[in-house]
Amino acid sequence: MHLNSALKNKSVKNFEEATANILHFMSKLININTLFIAKNDKQVNEIKKAVNKNTVLIQEGTTMPFKETFCKVSVDKGNDILLIEDITQNERTKHLNVTEDLGGGSFIAIPIYYEDGENYGTICGLDTKTFEFTDQHIELFQTMSSLLTYVLELDKANKEIKEISVPIVPLTKGVAILPIIGHINEYRAELIIQSTLESSMNLELEHMIIDLSGVSRINNSVSEYLLNIVKLLRLIGVTPILTGFRPDLAITTLHVDVDFKGIMITNNLESALTQIGFSLNKNDNNHSRSQSVM
């Protein structure tokens, strides 16, 4: 079985979803009871994902001190795979409380790293029975560790792209601007809504100016997305202001089946600021500044 076919048509949104798919794929290739991925910060070991076949040995979300785990033994070993066919006889594991709790068994693990070499955690296999590891099992864990490093970097890049695609800029206390650039689809609308609501709460905003001068086109779907953003902002007590309608977008808006009545709309940022009690003045050094006139 190949990874491509196993994951075919399975779209993943983030690292967490990818880990679930990878563990289920691995469980088809190695007949060990439990597979899991743990994250650690050198203090706490947290089980992020786990797959148990017969007996539940590991549960997702559980945490324990890192120094008391098999994962620490794996991380201490470095890049090499850790193979322990009998945890009660191995010098590095036989004194651990987790070994006493399990009563015996086998363990396999290899660390997962970020691209810069920082450790994320470990990908592990565990069984209470003695398990004979093969070269194929070793290769499987090594390959998946490398794949998870790649997925970690993709997830990190995706989060950075999300931040760039929803650049909320605080202007002054209680006021921020959201410049929307390019095309808005359903996925991006969800990102905008989530980021806008979070920023509105964190920044304690009273007004959110939504600049549409960079929007590529307006249609019914885009208009509905904008209205949803406006409605949700109002629900949390933030006054939305739409600005930056270009002439071509304004003409297109006449033909869409969405009602913009009741929404504050201005033609530019200066007008939007004026509407909420701010004016742009020039000082003696010819630099612009924003001054409240309320």
Side-chain angles (χ1 to χ4, degrees), residues 62-203:
T62 58
T63 60
M64 66 183 304
F66 180 57
K67 64 181 181 180
E68 294 294 328
T69 65
F70 295 154
C71 293
K72 182 181 185 303
V73 179
S74 173
V75 173
D76 288 345
K77 188 173 175 59
N79 291 318
D80 294 335
I81 192 106
L82 173 68
L83 295 176
I84 302 178
E85 293 190 355
D86 188 343
I87 58 176
T88 64
Q89 298 300 314
N90 188 279
E91 290 296 326
R92 289 169 290 187
T93 59
K94 66 181 184 180
H95 300 300
L96 295 176
N97 291 332
V98 65
T99 300
E100 183 178 350
D101 292 339
L102 290 170
S106 300
F107 182 73
I108 180 173
I110 188 169
I112 304 167
Y113 294 99
Y114 291 96
E115 197 172 60
D116 62 5
E118 180 186 356
N119 178 244
Y120 167 86
T122 49
I123 180 169
C124 313
L126 176 66
D127 207 313
T128 53
K129 299 177 182 178
T130 301
F131 192 91
E132 185 176 346
F133 298 107
T134 67
D135 291 341
Q136 286 75 23
H137 296 150
I138 294 172
E139 184 179 359
L140 175 65
F141 274 81
Q142 290 172 331
T143 300
M144 292 307 161
S145 174
S146 298
L147 177 60
L148 286 168
T149 293
Y150 177 69
V151 176
L152 271 175
E153 292 303 316
L154 285 180
D155 194 43
K156 179 181 176 182
N158 188 44
K159 289 177 180 177
E160 292 174 349
I161 290 171
K162 288 181 181 179
E163 293 175 358
I164 294 172
S165 66
V166 192
I168 295 173
V169 183
L171 296 179
T172 187
K173 183 178 181 180
V175 183
I177 182 170
L178 168 62
I180 299 179
I181 301 172
H183 177 59
I184 306 175
N185 54 26
E186 183 177 0
Y187 174 68
R188 189 173 180 215
E190 290 178 359
L191 293 180
I192 292 173
I193 289 172
Q194 180 180 354
S195 181
T196 300
L197 294 180
E198 289 178 356
S199 296
S200 296
M201 300 296 290
N202 294 336
L203 298 173

Side-chain angles (χ1 to χ4, degrees), residues 228-241:
N228 286 337
I229 295 170
V230 167
K231 291 175 182 177
L232 289 170
L233 284 171
R234 285 174 168 172
L235 283 175
I236 63 172
V238 178
T239 301
I241 305 172

